[in-house]
Amino acid sequence: MPDRYADAVLARRRELRELRERLAGGHRGELRSCLALSRLSAARDASASLAGLRREAAEHVRRGDRAARDRLPEHVTAAVGTIAAATAARWAAELGPPLRRIATERGLALEPGRPRMPAPRPPGPPPPPGPATPDRTLLAGMVDAAALGRLALLPLAALPLAGLPALGGPALAPLAVGVGLTALVVAARARRTAAERDRLQRRVEQIIGAAAAAIEADLDRRLVELELDASAALDAAVLRRRAAVDRELASLAPDRAGSRG
């Protein structure tokens, strides 16, 4: 007749020995892998969000009016703060299940509130603008206007070639001067607008680049702090669980199990 109690004891001892093997320290390797994967995922999410912000800001630089362009650095600074907060929150939320799985697979009971998730830090104020480049807008506009003015005077010079008297030339001189002045204003304004947009684009890139570096640094900091706290919490839970397994194995030793039978 089969001894069901002895079979149950053997099955339980086998189960406990397998559990003790899982408590031999492999949790640290799993923890590091889990944290490394979460770091890559968070960095990828932040990079995608910042790339979208770059595209949106570039569109505002191209199409926005002057008032909108003046407010753009402030809006970009607020947007990178939002992206940093969202990245930190998503990282913490996605990291919870893998950490719980590491503990659950080993039957570990962690202390309440452990591991502690490090608080994120905002990117901070944007860096100061870079040194202003020399503004050559007016000079370049004058050069362009002079070229356009010369083009406007070409019809006056071509009158004798067409068999027409050149006396009408002086009468047309004010028109040529007006064309030259108009060209000067238009060229200077166009170059000034282009220079402003170029400076604004560089400023936006400066703000986003600094924010990307700050987000990366904060992820690294939180990763190190979390690994230290999670390792300590898991180590303590493993020791407690291993002691409980050893006590149960001792209680199920063949001599004690036989004495119960």
Side-chain angles (χ1 to χ4, degrees):
M1 182 176 181
D3 189 343
R4 294 183 179 179
Y5 176 77
D7 292 341
V9 169
L10 291 175
R12 180 56 178 166
R13 289 175 60 193
R14 183 166 52 251
E15 179 182 346
L16 290 173
R17 282 194 294 267
E18 292 175 356
L19 176 58
R20 202 180 192 290
E21 290 179 0
R22 293 198 298 271
L23 297 173
H27 61 282
R28 281 183 169 266
E30 288 190 36
L31 175 63
R32 282 191 292 269
S33 298
C34 171
L35 294 178
L37 290 175
S38 71
R39 168 70 171 79
L40 292 175
S41 177
R44 184 172 58 250
D45 291 342
S47 178
S49 299
L50 291 174
L53 178 60
R54 279 191 176 94
R55 291 190 296 269
E56 184 178 352
E59 189 68 19
H60 282 286
V61 170
R62 285 193 301 269
R63 298 189 177 184
D65 56 17
R66 188 166 188 175
R69 293 197 300 268
D70 290 342
R71 295 191 300 268
L72 187 59
E74 180 181 352
H75 292 167
V76 171
T77 301
V80 296
T82 302
I83 290 174
T87 300
R90 192 182 305 114
W91 177 71
E94 293 179 354
L95 194 55
L99 291 178
R100 288 192 294 270
R101 177 186 56 78
I102 294 174
T104 302
E105 288 181 350
R106 293 164 174 81
L108 303 179
L110 297 177
E111 299 175 0
R114 302 289 298 276
R116 300 182 184 89
M117 194 65 66
R121 294 175 184 170
T133 56
D135 191 0
R136 303 181 62 184
T137 300
L138 180 59
L139 178 60
M142 292 177 65
V143 172
D144 290 345
L148 291 175
R150 286 195 297 272
L151 290 177
L153 292 174
L154 283 178
L156 301 180
L159 289 177
L161 298 178
L164 298 175
L167 297 177
L172 297 177
L175 177 60
V177 172
V179 170
L181 290 176
T182 302
L184 172 63
V185 173
V186 171
R189 182 175 297 175
R191 284 186 174 271
R192 182 173 60 249
T193 301
E196 288 177 355
R197 287 175 174 167
D198 185 61
R199 285 194 297 268
L200 181 58
Q201 186 64 46
R202 291 198 301 269
R203 178 59 176 159
V204 167
E205 287 295 330
Q206 184 185 26
I207 295 173
I208 295 178
I215 291 174
E216 292 275 344
D218 193 53
L219 280 173
D220 290 337
R221 175 192 64 83
R222 298 180 76 201
L223 197 72
V224 171
E225 293 180 6
L226 179 59
E227 182 176 0
L228 291 175
D229 187 72
S231 296
L234 288 172
D235 288 346
V238 164
L239 290 177
R240 292 192 300 269
R241 183 59 175 153
R242 189 184 300 167
V245 169
D246 289 341
R247 286 194 299 270
E248 188 173 356
L249 279 173
S251 67
L252 296 176
D255 53 347
R256 295 192 179 184
S259 63
R260 289 185 182 181

